[in-house]
Amino acid sequence: MTAEGRGSILIVEDDAGMRLFLGEALRKEGYAPREAETGAAALGMISAERPDVVLLDVRLPDVDGLDLLRRVRAAAADTLIVVMTAYGSRQMAHRAVEEGAYDYFEKPVDLADLRVVVRRAIERARLAREVRDLREQSASAEVPGMIGRSPGMLKTASLVRLVAVHDIPVLIEGESGTGKELVARKIHEISPRNGRPFVAVNCAAIPETLLEAELFGYERGAFTGAVRAHEGRFEQAEGGTLFLDEIGDMSAGMQAKLLRTLQEKTVERIGSKASKKVDFRLVAATNQDLSASVRTGRFREDLYYRINAIVLRLPPLRDRGDDLRLLADRTIEVYGAKYGKEGLRLTNDAYGVLRSHSWPGNVRELENVLQRAILFAEGREVAPEHVALALSTSGGDERPEEGEEKTLLENVGEIAGSAEKEMIVEALTKARWRRQDAATLLGISRRTLLTKMKKYGLS
C-alpha cells in the first residue's frame, strides 16, 4: 500500500528535533507525514489538504494550542487531532480532549503508543468521512432497487452502501413486509461477494426437525429417506452471502449450532464426522425485538452479539411519508407492463385512498393491493374505486402464515361475484386462455383457478 493509501498526517511542532523524531517514526510505519512549524502554517495546510490526523503541540510560538485546536475543528471537522503536551501537563491534555481532541500524548512520546493511536485515529477519520460522503450521495442517488426519499430510507441507503463493502455480519430489523430480503440482496449485490451465490433461508417457514438438515446438509443414509448426500445452505453459500430470515424464530438447539458455525466457520453434515470449512457472509433479519428476546432468555446473548455487528432498522411504510407515492407509481409501472396495461397511471383521488390506509403489511401489502387494482382498472387510470375494491379483498394486513397460499383473490366473498368473474376472464384473456399462465397472473394455483372457472361456468 502506498504512503498516501495509509492516510494523511500533519505534524505541527515548533521543535525541529521533535519534528524529525516523529516524522522518521511515522515514515517507518509507511506514512508520508507533512510538517508545519507554526500555527499559521498549519491552518493553511489543513484548509488546503484536509489531513486525516494532526499531531499538535499545544505550545506553539505564534498561537495558543487550544485556540488552534478550536480553529482546526471549525475548518476541518473530519480531521482528528492528537495533542502533544510537556511532561506533567496532563491537565492541559484533558482540556484539549474536552475541546474535541481525539487523544493526547505526553512528551517524551512512546513510539508503541504513537503507532497504535495514529492507526486508530486514521481508521476512525476515514470511516467518518466515508459515512459523510455516503449520506451526501444518498440525497441524490438511491441504492438501485431501493425506492424512497424519506429520512429513514435515505439513512438505510447510506448504511447499505457502507456495510456492503465491509465483510461483517448485518442484522436487519423491521416489520413484516418492509423489504428486509430486498435490502439483504442489495448488500450482497454491491459487496465484493456479488459474483458468488446469495442463499436465502426463512427460519420460520421450515419445521425445526428439517431446519438442521436444510442448513447443514446430510450424508446418504443419515436417516430414513436420505437416499443421496445433500449439500446444506451453508455450503451452497460458499464465497457468497447467507441470508437467514426470521432468525428470531430459531430454536435454542439450532441457535447453539449456528453459533458454533459462526465461530469456527465449519459445518458438519448430519451423518458425517468430518468438518468442512465454509466461507460466507451472514446477513440475518427479524421482525422481533431480539434484544428483548435476549433479556427473556428466548435468544442466546452470545449469538445476538455475533450477528448484530451492524444493525439496519427498516421504517414501516406508515412512517415513510411521500415514499408511498413513489412506491405506488413504480409498482403500477412494473405490473401494468406485466399485465399488458402499459401507460397506466394512478389518479390523485386514488392516491388519497392509499394515504388513508394504515398499511400494516407495509410494502408487500401495497404491492399486492396495487396488483389487484391494476386488474380491476379499465382504460388508462387506476381510479379510487379500483383501489377501494382491491383493499376490500386484501385479507387484512397481508401477512399470511408461512406456507399459506398467497393469492390475489383472498376473501373474495366480500365483493360481488361478478367482479371476481370479470377479473378471472381478464386474466384468461391476457394469457390467451392458457390456464397455468392465467393462474400465475392471478397469484393462485391452477387447481384453484379450475375450481373458480367451474363455479362461473367458464371453459
Side-chain angles (χ1 to χ4, degrees), residues 438-459:
T440 301
L441 280 175
L442 293 167
I444 61 178
S445 68
R446 186 174 183 274
R447 180 179 297 178
T448 300
L449 175 61
L450 293 175
T451 300
K452 291 181 178 294
M453 289 175 67
K454 183 177 180 180
K455 173 183 175 181
Y456 295 118
L458 301 171
S459 61

Side-chain angles (χ1 to χ4, degrees), residues 94-107:
H94 289 172
R95 283 185 57 196
V97 171
E98 290 174 358
E99 294 283 351
Y102 172 70
D103 209 335
Y104 69 90
F105 291 111
E106 288 185 359
K107 299 178 182 177

Side-chain angles (χ1 to χ4, degrees), residues 313-367:
R313 293 182 176 87
L314 302 188
L317 184 55
R318 61 183 173 275
D319 293 341
R320 291 178 56 181
D322 292 338
D323 283 358
L324 177 63
R325 184 72 197 230
L326 295 174
L327 289 162
D329 288 343
R330 178 59 177 162
T331 300
I332 288 175
E333 177 186 353
V334 170
Y335 286 99
K338 180 178 178 180
Y339 298 149
K341 296 186 176 183
E342 292 86 350
L344 200 62
R345 59 175 291 273
L346 181 74
T347 68
N348 289 334
D349 288 341
Y351 175 60
V353 177
L354 294 178
R355 286 293 299 268
S356 67
H357 188 60
S358 61
W359 303 109
N362 294 293
V363 178
R364 183 192 301 137
E365 181 186 4
L366 174 67
E367 184 175 287

Side-chain angles (χ1 to χ4, degrees), residues 338-339 368 371-372 375 393 404-412 420-421 423-425 427-428 431 434-456 458:
K338 180 178 178 180
Y339 298 149
N368 289 341
Q371 286 185 70
R372 282 189 287 271
L375 290 174
T393 68
E404 178 181 308
E405 185 181 38
K406 191 70 193 144
T407 82
L408 291 178
L409 300 174
E410 287 179 295
N411 298 331
V412 293
E420 182 180 25
K421 179 180 178 180
M423 186 163 55
I424 292 172
V425 170
L428 286 165
R434 291 189 292 268
R435 286 168 291 187
Q436 183 59 62
D437 291 348
T440 301
L441 280 175
L442 293 167
I444 61 178
S445 68
R446 186 174 183 274
R447 180 179 297 178
T448 300
L449 175 61
L450 293 175
T451 300
K452 291 181 178 294
M453 289 175 67
K454 183 177 180 180
K455 173 183 175 181
Y456 295 118
L458 301 171

Side-chain angles (χ1 to χ4, degrees), residues 30 33 46 89 109 138 148 165 192 200 237 255 335 341-342 389 395 400 403 407 436:
I46 291 168
S89 302
V109 175
S138 69
V165 298
Q255 290 177 37
Y335 286 99
K341 296 186 176 183
E342 292 86 350
L389 184 57
T407 82
Q436 183 59 62

Side-chain angles (χ1 to χ4, degrees), residues 136-353:
E136 291 175 356
Q137 291 170 16
S138 69
S140 59
E142 300 163 344
V143 173
M146 291 180 61
I147 299 172
R149 295 290 185 180
S150 62
M153 288 307 295
L154 290 177
K155 180 179 179 181
T156 298
S158 295
L159 289 174
V160 165
R161 288 187 182 276
L162 177 61
V163 304
V165 298
H166 299 287
D167 204 19
I168 56 177
V170 177
L171 177 63
I172 305 172
E173 297 180 342
E175 296 178 6
S176 292
T178 48
K180 296 187 288 295
E181 183 170 345
L182 169 65
V183 171
R185 288 184 181 276
K186 292 304 170 186
I187 290 172
H188 174 73
E189 288 172 7
I190 60 178
S191 77
R193 295 178 177 265
N194 65 346
R196 304 296 297 165
F198 176 88
V199 178
V201 181
N202 190 319
C203 300
I206 303 173
E208 182 182 347
T209 53
L210 300 179
L211 185 57
E212 181 180 4
E214 189 67 24
L215 288 176
F216 295 91
Y218 51 84
E219 297 293 347
R220 178 183 178 185
F223 48 80
T224 302
V227 296
R228 62 177 62 88
H230 174 71
E231 187 181 62
R233 298 300 184 94
F234 287 112
E235 293 179 70
Q236 293 172 16
E238 177 65 28
T241 301
L242 178 66
F243 174 57
L244 296 182
D245 198 6
E246 303 307 348
I247 195 172
D249 290 330
M250 189 176 281
S251 69
M254 283 303 304
Q255 290 177 37
K257 292 173 181 176
L258 173 60
L259 177 62
R260 180 179 177 184
T261 299
L262 296 179
Q263 289 172 334
E264 300 179 5
K265 288 291 184 178
T266 62
V267 293
E268 187 176 304
R269 291 184 183 179
I270 300 173
S272 173
K273 294 183 179 179
S275 295
K276 181 179 180 180
K277 281 285 186 182
V278 286
D279 171 32
F280 62 91
R281 195 252 183 93
L282 179 71
V283 178
T286 181
N287 61 9
Q288 303 176 25
D289 182 350
L290 282 193
S291 61
S293 296
V294 168
R295 291 192 294 272
T296 60
R298 290 187 61 253
F299 199 85
R300 293 180 64 112
E301 184 175 20
D302 46 5
L303 177 59
Y304 177 65
Y305 289 114
R306 267 286 168 182
I307 65 176
N308 77 339
I310 295 290
V311 178
L312 300 180
R313 293 182 176 87
L314 302 188
L317 184 55
R318 61 183 173 275
D319 293 341
R320 291 178 56 181
D322 292 338
D323 283 358
L324 177 63
R325 184 72 197 230
L326 295 174
L327 289 162
D329 288 343
R330 178 59 177 162
T331 300
I332 288 175
E333 177 186 353
V334 170
Y335 286 99
K338 180 178 178 180
Y339 298 149
K341 296 186 176 183
E342 292 86 350
L344 200 62
R345 59 175 291 273
L346 181 74
T347 68
N348 289 334
D349 288 341
Y351 175 60
V353 177

